[in-house]
Amino acid sequence: MNLAPAFTALALAATATAQFPVVTTVLNNGTTQTRYDMVILGDGYQASQQAQFNADVNTFLAALFQKQPYQTFAAYYNVHTVFRPSVDSGADRPDETPAVFKNTVYDATYNYGGTDRCLYIQNTSQALADAALAPATEGRVLVMVNDTRYGGCAATFAVSYNGAQMAEVQTHELGHSLGQLADEYDYPYQTYTGGEPSAANITTSPTGAKWAVWHGTDGISAFQGAGYYLQGLYRPKVNCLMRVLGTTLCRVCQENITKITNSIVDVIATTSPASTAVAVAVPTPQTFSFTHFVPAGNLPLISWKFDGVVVPGATGTSWTLDPTTTTLGAHTVTASVRDQSLLVRSDPSNVMTETHTWNVTVGNPNLAQLRVPSASSNLVFVQPGSTVTLTATVTNDGPGTAGPFAVEFFVGGGIWAPTHSYLGSVTVPTLAASQSTTINHTVQLPWSLPAVIQWVHVVADRVDAVDESNETDNARTVVLVGQTGGCVTKLEYTTPFVRSDQATLSLAAGGTLHPTVVAPCLDPATTLYLIAWTGSGTAPGLLLAPGVTLPLNFDALTQLGLDGLNGAVFGNFLGVLDAQGLGHATFTLPPSTALPVGPTHFAALLLGQSQLFTATTNPVALTLLP
Ligand SMILES: [Zn+2]
């Protein structure tokens, strides 16, 4: 047996079917991402009738785009066809005598579901597979059936015969699938008793409140009989294409189709820059622009926002940002175009406005860029009052020159806070691009330092005196291990941004300090502290008892302090130690006092029960500035 001819026949058949289905974009207005894409299939067309299918599609499209709202928004649609030929021409007519059966790709039949004029396809899986070959599809796929007998039906597909009323039938079906509209005809049921329908064009309201904005326009009111019911449902107009063929769509139906089309279509066609992430470098201006295809007759209204705020006077398709007029960092630029079509009167979801947002980062390539690449301490294990030398390197990555700026030192918990003990600062007068400076800062740790892990924070330019391209990388930490100290009696400041042993206050501005007595080995139950003030130096001091000298000279400030003890200025200057052996006082200098400019000091004495003058502390300095 010679199989060769059979193989040859198979190969020919494979070649022939490989030409089908034919996928054609018959209306191409733009990318599938930006347009509403329709797909049309053909059933009952033989391979030789492809031209007829194409002609039927053209007849439908020509009619569709003569109707509103499709006419106004014709550029918003793409139409694709997928043509797969049938063996036979026409559709099944099982209800005729004799019954007619045709071999077609999607197996279209009249009398579908027992309704003679319901023409629908039975091989929906093949139709779905073919429709999926189109570049894109929104909504329901249309199927043209090559048969002269009037008929059509819609479910998953919108199916119509290709006779005289084909365009009317399919436009009506698009009203369902694209416009989510209900049928406005009033048969076969009698009285509607259900809830308010979701469709825009039928309502239970006898006044038609749903479309109140249209009342009085083009015959719009409320007419009983809609949605398959003679009573209880109302339609907007006496006649509409959703009710009878051969009429226009009413304004309510047109509005809904327009809004749904616009909710899918992206009318902003191109943007410049194309990327939504835009880096802008001071001082170069950056222009943003876009193109859109809102019909000119709809008076497109353009606006621009910078950081969400409307830019006055910016109404064109481009806008230029001057980065010297804004802050460095992240911003947004938003362009929007509003379609003011008279086909839409109610747009609560703003579907007639298209927006595009660029995320803009403004940087300045000419700024300095400080960082602290390293920091260390000569001691790791420290006690209260230990003297440590802290070493830090500060680098300016440039290209701008930095300075003057302060490098500040703090000690406290792992996350820096303003309440951390202030260890002073070193001023860097200038630091050129690509230069580093090493700072050695020797400082005494607070006497009240707890015996826990401590973090030293080195912070360069905390107050942002230097404009930098990155303001968030200016700190480094060093870990110290706090240990219990010996028996001491000390006085220090525990005030944010004030060193423990020296402070300044402006006489004009006034201010607050917190002198703190540190006496861990004295009995809080039997010990009082008293803090005294002097403006005349710490030597020779006041001899209180043999071997007990308070390191300050009695003068008018001392008398002022004693007179105002525990008042508004010298708060808690006489008090008891807490459980940790700390005595917390508050010195509040009112603004604009007549005190003399110059150095002053505080020192404390401890008062006991068995011995009146138990101990004295070191002095701490307070310099009064103008
Ligand atoms: Zn209508």
Side-chain angles (χ1 to χ4, degrees):
M1 184 179 172
N2 185 359
L3 290 175
F7 278 121
T8 305
L10 276 175
L12 283 172
T15 305
T17 53
Q19 298 169 9
F20 295 109
V22 177
V23 180
T24 310
T25 296
V26 295
L27 183 61
N28 183 5
N29 275 306
T31 64
T32 58
Q33 289 79 21
T34 62
R35 297 308 201 278
Y36 188 102
D37 290 272
M38 296 183 202
V39 176
I40 304 175
L41 308 179
D43 194 28
Y45 295 88
Q46 294 170 306
S48 62
Q49 294 174 316
Q50 189 175 353
Q52 180 62 49
F53 171 71
N54 294 340
D56 290 342
V57 168
N58 287 338
T59 299
F60 163 61
L61 295 180
L64 179 72
F65 290 114
Q66 281 174 9
K67 296 178 189 294
Q68 286 290 41
Y70 302 100
Q71 186 175 47
T72 294
F73 295 99
Y76 286 34
Y77 300 94
N78 287 336
V79 180
H80 315 281
T81 59
V82 181
F83 181 76
R84 186 188 290 277
S86 297
V87 172
D88 294 332
S89 179
D92 295 352
R93 300 178 178 188
D95 53 340
E96 294 186 4
T97 308
V100 176
F101 292 97
K102 296 293 180 70
N103 179 3
T104 65
V105 286
Y106 309 127
D107 201 10
T109 184
Y110 289 89
N111 202 43
Y112 188 90
T115 302
D116 60 353
R117 69 175 198 186
C118 180
L119 171 65
Y120 200 64
I121 58 172
Q122 299 175 99
N123 189 352
T124 51
S125 59
Q126 181 68 62
L128 285 172
D130 284 354
L133 298 174
T137 182
E138 263 92 21
R140 189 150 38 183
V141 172
L142 307 180
V143 182
M144 306 302 192
V145 177
N146 185 27
D147 199 305
T148 54
R149 176 176 151 185
Y150 176 81
C153 243
T156 303
F157 296 86
V159 180
S160 171
Y161 84 127
N162 65 341
Q165 291 187 283
M166 172 261 296
E168 292 284 307
V169 170
Q170 288 293 37
T171 305
H172 173 98
E173 296 305 340
L174 266 185
H176 291 307
S177 59
L178 196 169
Q180 295 170 18
L181 298 168
D183 281 313
E184 294 181 20
Y185 49 85
D186 53 18
Y187 52 89
Y189 306 119
Q190 192 64 30
T191 302
Y192 181 79
T193 55
E196 175 63 24
S198 61
N201 63 328
I202 59 172
T203 183
T204 57
S205 159
T207 62
K210 204 171 193 171
W211 47 78
V213 292
W214 289 104
H215 284 186
T217 301
D218 284 355
I220 301 293
S221 181
F223 300 90
Q224 188 159 226
Y228 318 124
Y229 287 88
L230 196 58
Q231 292 173 333
L233 282 176
Y234 298 80
R235 62 187 190 275
K237 196 172 178 179
V238 173
N239 276 323
C240 164
L241 183 60
M242 297 314 290
R243 180 175 169 88
V244 289
L245 300 183
T247 57
T248 58
L249 288 157
C250 72
R251 296 296 294 267
V252 174
C253 290
Q254 290 182 28
E255 178 181 52
N256 216 51
I257 292 168
T258 300
K259 288 199 289 188
I260 291 173
T261 297
N262 275 271
S263 73
I264 289 171
V265 172
D266 182 356
V267 297
I268 292 180
T270 64
T271 62
S272 175
S275 170
T276 56
V278 182
V280 177
V282 174
T284 309
Q286 171 71 50
T287 295
F288 298 86
S289 66
F290 68 98
T291 61
H292 68 86
F293 51 85
V294 174
N298 292 355
L299 308 177
L301 188 65
I302 293 170
S303 63
W304 292 82
K305 287 181 179 176
F306 184 66
D307 288 343
V309 177
V310 172
V311 181
T315 57
T317 53
S318 72
W319 177 70
T320 299
L321 169 66
D322 176 358
T324 65
T325 62
T326 188
T327 56
L328 300 182
H331 298 277
T332 58
V333 172
T334 303
S336 68
V337 54
R338 172 153 187 80
D339 184 322
Q340 303 189 94
S341 170
L342 297 178
L343 293 174
V344 173
R345 289 189 179 176
S346 172
D347 184 19
S349 300
N350 241 5
V351 296
M352 300 303 287
T353 300
E354 196 77 49
T355 64
H356 182 85
T357 296
W358 290 270
N359 295 304
V360 179
T361 305
V362 176
N364 188 339
N366 300 313
L367 292 181
Q369 166 44 24
L370 297 175
R371 60 191 169 93
V372 185
S374 68
S376 62
S377 169
N378 68 323
L379 296 179
V380 174
F381 296 92
V382 295
Q383 294 179 331
S386 286
T387 296
V388 296
T389 297
L390 303 170
T391 301
T393 300
V394 180
T395 297
N396 177 10
D397 291 329
T401 297
F405 63 91
V407 179
E408 295 175 298
F409 298 82
F410 301 84
V411 65
I415 306 295
W416 180 85
T419 51
H420 278 178
S421 295
Y422 188 62
L423 300 180
S425 74
V426 174
T427 297
V428 178
T430 183
L431 190 59
S434 305
Q435 298 295 303
S436 293
T437 184
T438 298
I439 294 161
N440 289 302
H441 182 57
T442 299
V443 65
Q444 190 176 47
L445 297 176
W447 291 102
S448 54
L449 192 76
V452 295
I453 294 287
Q454 301 286 336
W455 277 264
V456 170
H457 297 261
V458 183
V459 185
D461 192 35
R462 178 180 54 83
V463 299
D464 291 342
V466 178
D467 280 337
E468 299 176 59
S469 49
N470 181 355
E471 298 280 12
T472 64
D473 62 346
N474 288 21
R476 192 158 291 276
T477 56
V478 180
V479 172
L480 305 178
V481 181
Q483 298 182 307
T484 306
C487 284
V488 294
T489 306
K490 297 291 182 181
L491 183 65
E492 67 185 20
Y493 296 115
T494 55
T495 304
F497 303 112
V498 174
R499 277 185 60 161
S500 63
D501 57 347
Q502 50 187 266
T504 61
L505 283 178
S506 157
L507 288 168
T512 301
L513 293 169
H514 299 90
T516 302
V517 177
V518 182
C521 298
L522 297 182
D523 180 3
T526 59
T527 307
L528 291 173
Y529 67 86
L530 173 67
I531 301 172
W533 194 19
T534 182
S536 52
T538 58
L542 273 174
L543 183 65
L544 302 174
V548 182
T549 299
L550 185 66
L552 57 76
N553 299 323
F554 194 97
D555 60 13
L557 292 186
T558 318
Q559 188 63 52
L560 193 64
L562 292 173
D563 291 348
L565 204 57
N566 289 5
V569 177
F570 303 95
N572 225 25
F573 268 48
L574 174 65
V576 294
L577 300 171
D578 68 12
Q580 283 73 47
L582 302 178
H584 300 282
T586 301
F587 177 71
T588 305
L589 180 68
S592 306
T593 50
L595 293 170
V597 169
T600 71
H601 292 85
F602 293 109
L605 57 123
L606 282 302
L607 306 166
Q609 273 183 343
S610 57
Q611 184 187 352
L612 181 59
F613 300 113
T614 307
T616 57
T617 71
N618 56 297
V620 294
L622 166 61
T623 303
L624 297 177
L625 303 173

